[in-house]
Amino acid sequence: MSIFHLIFVEYLLKLNIPEWLIFMLWQIIYFIFISLLMILAVLFLVLFERKYLAFFTRRKGPNRVGLYGCLQTVADGIKILFKENIMPKNADKFIYFVAPIIVFAPILTVYSLIPFSSDINSYKSDIGILLFMAILSLPIAGVLFAGYSSRNKYSLIGGMRSCIQAISSEIPIFLTLAGIVILTGSMNLSEIVKAQHSFSQWNIFPSILGFIIFFICSLITLNRIPFDFPEAESELVAGYNSEYSGMKFAMFFLGEYALTFIFSAYAATLFLGGYNSPFGFYIADLFDLTLITGEIIRNIEQFFWLILKTFFLILIIMWIRAAYPRFKTEKALELCWYIFIPLAIFNLFVLCIVQYFRGSL
Amino acid sequence: MIKSFIYPIKELIKGLLTVLKNGFKEKVTLEYPEKKKVLNNNFRGKIKYDKTKCIKCKICQKVCPAKGTIEINETFKIDYSQCIFCANCVEFCPKGALTITKEYELATNNKNELIFNEGIN
């Protein structure tokens, strides 16, 4: 039970509020926190990506709206809200309407599984790792629905490609995740983070190969460049979302960036020590603080460390985007099936040996 | 075998570093209305007419490749919607009444604003 929860319950019980209502309010607070975090992350990421790509291509990026263009995404968002919703005449109307929601809702759900700090974790599931990947296979269905219901060949091919690459990248990802489970002996994400409490115990050190495989496969799952075949502009117009406009398009767009953020946070949680400080101790512990303020400040610091690690990974993802051209579809699938699956199994084998010697020490 | 495996990885890292190196070079973006391009000395822009030097010989009207751009009757009329900024008129003017300036921001919403009439002595 987190200290925030205790303070909250104690305060509300004094006001004679029934216990079931307190429980519900606590969940609502988590929901608001997660939604805010996601929206802020997406707003920042879109602007950040544009600025960062501009840095690599010797441009200045958006710099007209707000100070150094800081309000550009807000302006774009307002523009997209007022756009007309155009539906193709022959579209399968119900599926067409539902597809963006199927893409967006699981991504929002998955935010609740990540331990952002030792106390900010809305759902401590015992099968966190599995649940994360299981929920994240739902958006693929949404993408396929979007491609099918648009009644457009480009959309359909885009949706199918997205589906193919998601399936082929998920197998190496699951094999590397099995390696993590072997190392930490738990599927619970907060247990995994607790097991990596010091820098030398981060999972990336025994499982560096697994991290590389996970990282590249997550690029394939996220449809990021160099694996963005579902949205290959030169071949498929805009892929599965080419018939979508206005708010529905915005949902796909938001979903993509939210997924980038949460996948980086997931990778940071599994391999880079999650919310743990890289020094082995928290800066907040150096000062003499009372129990409650100390706890609050330590949580904020843990949150800061996780966000820092997440952004480190996002920086690499965007750097790769700036550098490489697009792969061929079949080459990427070959990469998954012929190279990554054997490598992931080899990685699993290595981790078993590592764990055997760790246990004997 | 190992060499064929290492080579692509080396190349990929080289690509990343090349892109990164580019980032620290000077930016090529020009924020146009605030900052303007430094123009070459040979730049040909709007033409300036000096009515005190003009002798009304109409040579400029004859040498103009875009016919009808310059018309000299009661006034010196130049139509920038047709002008190709070749500066032939400036070259051929015997008295040096026409000179070239570096002004190039002539865009308007109304085409008639591009026709300039100036009186002749």
Side-chain angles (χ1 to χ4, degrees):
Chain A
M1 197 65 74
S2 74
I3 197 151
F4 299 122
H5 192 195
L6 288 177
I7 297 166
F8 181 78
V9 171
E10 202 177 293
Y11 183 72
L12 288 191
L13 278 177
K14 270 182 203 161
L15 301 172
N16 286 329
I17 290 170
E19 222 166 294
W20 59 269
L21 195 64
I22 295 172
F23 177 75
M24 273 176 68
L25 281 174
W26 184 242
Q27 298 305 320
I28 288 169
I29 285 175
Y30 265 136
F31 178 74
I32 291 168
F33 170 76
I34 285 167
S35 318
L36 265 182
L37 178 75
M38 194 206 66
I39 286 164
L40 286 178
V42 168
L43 279 182
F44 181 72
L45 269 188
V46 174
L47 179 71
F48 179 72
E49 174 154 33
R50 292 177 69 177
K51 279 282 192 191
Y52 191 57
L53 284 179
F55 164 77
F56 281 127
T57 43
R58 297 176 65 187
R59 293 178 289 114
K60 282 189 174 160
N63 62 353
R64 291 298 156 117
V65 191
L67 193 68
Y68 294 104
C70 61
L71 295 174
Q72 182 66 47
T73 349
V74 180
D76 285 347
I78 292 168
K79 189 198 83 175
I80 220 162
L81 276 177
F82 289 109
K83 283 227 169 177
E84 192 186 353
N85 254 325
I86 302 164
M87 193 189 270
K89 202 174 159 192
N90 294 327
D92 197 327
K93 292 202 172 55
F94 179 67
I95 296 181
Y96 181 88
F97 181 77
V98 150
I101 301 167
I102 296 180
V103 172
F104 193 67
I107 296 171
L108 189 59
T109 315
V110 136
Y111 270 67
S112 64
L113 287 170
I114 299 287
F116 289 103
S117 81
S118 54
D119 290 344
I120 309 172
N121 182 5
S122 59
Y123 184 37
K124 286 177 185 163
S125 169
D126 278 342
I127 49 161
I129 283 187
L130 262 184
L131 202 56
F132 188 95
M133 291 309 295
I135 293 174
L136 278 191
S137 56
L138 283 176
I140 314 300
V143 166
L144 201 60
F145 285 174
Y148 154 75
S149 64
S150 301
R151 297 287 153 89
N152 176 336
K153 281 166 197 157
Y154 294 130
S155 300
L156 186 59
I157 293 171
M160 272 159 36
R161 280 186 182 182
S162 178
C163 196
I164 295 166
Q165 75 186 58
I167 290 169
S168 46
S169 69
E170 249 166 31
I171 298 165
I173 286 184
F174 270 112
L175 286 171
T176 53
L177 294 184
I180 298 295
V181 175
I182 286 170
L183 280 178
T184 51
S186 170
M187 275 188 167
N188 191 330
L189 283 170
S190 46
E191 294 292 322
I192 288 170
V193 175
K194 272 173 202 158
Q196 312 175 55
H197 51 80
S198 67
F199 185 67
S200 58
Q201 269 168 326
W202 285 9
N203 283 335
I204 189 169
F205 294 118
S207 150
I208 178 79
L209 186 64
F211 177 69
I212 293 167
I213 293 168
F214 181 86
F215 189 75
I216 296 174
C217 286
S218 64
L219 283 186
I220 299 175
T221 316
L222 293 169
N223 302 338
R224 299 284 308 186
I225 292 170
F227 304 104
D228 65 332
F229 333 112
E231 302 163 57
E233 300 93 12
S234 47
E235 310 161 33
L236 296 180
V237 193
Y240 54 85
N241 57 22
S242 50
E243 295 291 349
Y244 281 86
S245 65
M247 209 47 221
K248 290 193 191 112
F249 169 75
M251 273 167 123
F252 281 116
F253 193 71
L254 285 177
E256 204 173 292
Y257 279 92
L259 198 58
T260 309
F261 180 81
I262 203 63
F263 240 99
S264 305
Y266 187 53
T269 305
L270 292 178
F271 292 95
L272 301 178
Y275 56 72
N276 283 313
S277 149
F279 311 124
F281 58 88
Y282 296 112
I283 297 169
D285 291 344
L286 296 179
F287 305 102
D288 255 350
L289 296 166
T290 57
L291 182 68
I292 291 172
T293 38
E295 195 75 9
I296 289 170
I297 289 173
R298 193 183 308 126
N299 272 291
I300 291 170
E301 197 196 332
Q302 286 171 339
F303 184 68
F304 166 77
W305 286 122
L306 183 69
I307 295 291
L308 199 72
K309 287 165 187 172
T310 307
F311 268 94
F312 173 71
L313 291 176
I314 288 173
L315 276 175
I316 296 175
I317 290 178
M318 288 178 180
W319 188 7
I320 287 170
R321 180 189 166 162
Y324 299 144
R326 188 177 300 125
F327 254 62
K328 275 165 104 179
T329 315
E330 69 270 19
K331 289 279 172 194
L333 299 187
E334 259 175 33
L335 192 71
C336 282
W337 290 101
Y338 294 155
I339 299 176
F340 282 161
I341 291 180
L343 273 181
I345 292 170
F346 172 71
N347 173 52
L348 205 60
F349 182 66
V350 170
L351 292 183
C352 287
I353 294 170
V354 167
Q355 192 58 22
Y356 177 78
F357 283 110
R358 263 193 190 176
S360 69
L361 280 173
Chain B
M1 165 70 191
I2 294 170
K3 205 178 174 186
S4 69
F5 204 74
I6 289 174
Y7 176 74
I9 295 171
K10 215 172 98 187
E11 290 296 299
L12 286 175
I13 292 169
K14 215 165 132 188
L16 281 178
L17 291 178
T18 312
V19 173
L20 185 65
K21 224 192 297 172
N22 246 325
F24 294 104
K25 286 182 185 163
E26 199 193 340
K27 302 273 178 274
V28 288
T29 312
L30 193 75
E31 287 153 296
Y32 167 61
E34 291 95 39
K35 286 173 195 163
K36 281 170 189 164
K37 205 175 166 183
V38 181
L39 296 169
N40 197 315
N41 282 333
N42 296 330
F43 187 84
R44 303 191 294 267
K46 197 177 168 185
I47 285 153
K48 195 182 161 197
Y49 172 71
D50 187 354
K51 67 179 178 182
T52 56
K53 286 182 185 168
C54 184
I55 54 170
K56 223 175 168 183
C57 63
K58 295 196 180 178
I59 287 176
C60 46
Q61 192 180 326
K62 279 171 201 156
V63 298
C64 185
K67 295 292 175 211
T69 304
I70 300 177
E71 273 174 30
I72 297 179
N73 295 321
E74 275 74 51
T75 57
F76 174 82
K77 191 196 112 189
I78 180 158
D79 182 0
Y80 285 108
S81 66
Q82 288 187 43
C83 182
I84 60 167
F85 299 96
C86 63
N88 244 2
C89 44
V90 178
E91 194 83 2
F92 281 91
C93 186
K95 293 290 173 185
L98 296 174
T99 45
I100 208 147
T101 62
K102 286 184 181 178
E103 198 188 332
Y104 59 92
E105 288 158 311
L106 297 165
T108 59
N109 289 323
N110 185 3
K111 215 173 172 182
N112 291 332
E113 284 173 26
L114 289 172
I115 301 168
F116 287 84
N117 273 307
E118 279 175 74
I120 296 181
N121 262 354

